[in-house]
Structures are given as structure tokens and as C-alpha cells.
Amino acid sequence: MKRCFELAEQAKQNNESPVGSLLTDGMGNILAEGIEANKGKNDVTCHAEIEVIRNALKKLPATDLQNTVLYSTHEPCVMCSYVIRHYGICKIVYSISAGEVGGASSNFPILKTEIITRWKSPPEIINLH
């Protein structure tokens, strides 16, 4: 998580929301990093969690991320949560809740739902606070 907060500081220095994410393999090795970039790229989908997934997919031969762990300073929003579920990330660790737009804590808990049958089981979710 320390690295996520360093990435969040980079985003803040870029006049973005201070959000940083990283993706690891099952052994804890960092596969990719991402920072919030929606203002700089003029693209609302450039949240840190989606950016880290995009960066990982550029490096990895497969699009199945089921054995990976996503760390983020903030709870992934509903949009990011959809992408996380689509790629089958097995574990999410975050520090700051996102409230009404959160993928786990809102009225739209995409990270937790089991009603979408095309997705694998929901990821393990760890909120550090």
C-alpha cells in the first residue's frame, strides 16, 4: 500500500485526484502500476484501477487476470469494479472507502454481486480501514 500512496502523490502532482493502484501476481510481485489520469487524458475512464489493468494487459500474454491482486488507495468505483470483475481479478485491497459510488460499499456492489452469471466468484475484498 505504501507504493499506492506514492503513486497517488504522483497523480496529485499532476493535478489529478490522488489515487494510485498496482497489480500483483499471486506471489506479491508487481505486474503494473497506475495513477489517476482522467483530467490529463481528457478521458473519464482513466481511473487508476483501470489504468493499472490497461498497463498490465500491455505486458501480459493473456487477458485473464484471475490470479492477480489489485491494491488501490481508494475503493474501486462502480465503473472500475465492472472492469475488475470482467478480468477476473481475485482479490482487492484498498484503504479509503468511496461511499455512494463504491463497487463494494454502495447500493451497486458490483464487486460483491453473484447475480451476473458470466462472471466468476466475487473477489476477496479487504478494506484496510
Side-chain angles (χ1 to χ4, degrees):
M1 286 304 291
K2 180 182 176 191
R3 181 62 184 148
C4 287
F5 282 101
E6 291 170 355
L7 294 167
E9 183 59 31
Q10 287 179 22
K12 184 178 177 182
Q13 295 294 324
N14 294 340
N15 200 32
E16 301 282 352
S17 296
V19 184
S21 293
L22 57 87
L23 193 69
T24 66
D25 62 15
M27 309 292 279
N29 300 305
I30 296 174
L31 300 172
E33 298 179 338
I35 65 172
E36 198 82 1
N38 59 51
K39 292 177 188 170
K41 292 184 177 182
N42 196 27
D43 182 346
V44 71
T45 69
C46 293
H47 287 197
E49 297 88 351
I50 293 176
E51 289 292 280
V52 75
I53 291 168
R54 286 177 175 147
N55 291 337
L57 293 172
K58 290 176 189 175
K59 295 179 179 180
L60 301 173
T63 58
D64 184 357
L65 302 177
Q66 69 178 335
N67 294 316
T68 62
V69 179
L70 187 139
Y71 293 83
S72 186
T73 54
H74 290 71
E75 173 187 0
C77 73
V78 172
M79 174 182 66
C80 295
S81 296
Y82 178 91
V83 176
I84 289 165
R85 292 298 300 273
H86 175 81
Y87 286 106
I89 295 171
C90 70
K91 186 176 187 179
I92 313 300
V93 181
Y94 68 90
S95 184
I96 301 166
S97 292
E100 66 184 3
V101 297
S105 64
S106 75
N107 289 330
F108 307 100
I110 291 176
L111 287 174
K112 296 179 177 181
T113 189
E114 294 186 31
I115 61 173
I116 300 175
T117 57
R118 72 175 64 186
W119 288 340
K120 294 177 175 79
S121 298
E124 178 182 355
I125 302 168
I126 299 173
N127 179 348
L128 298 175
H129 290 292

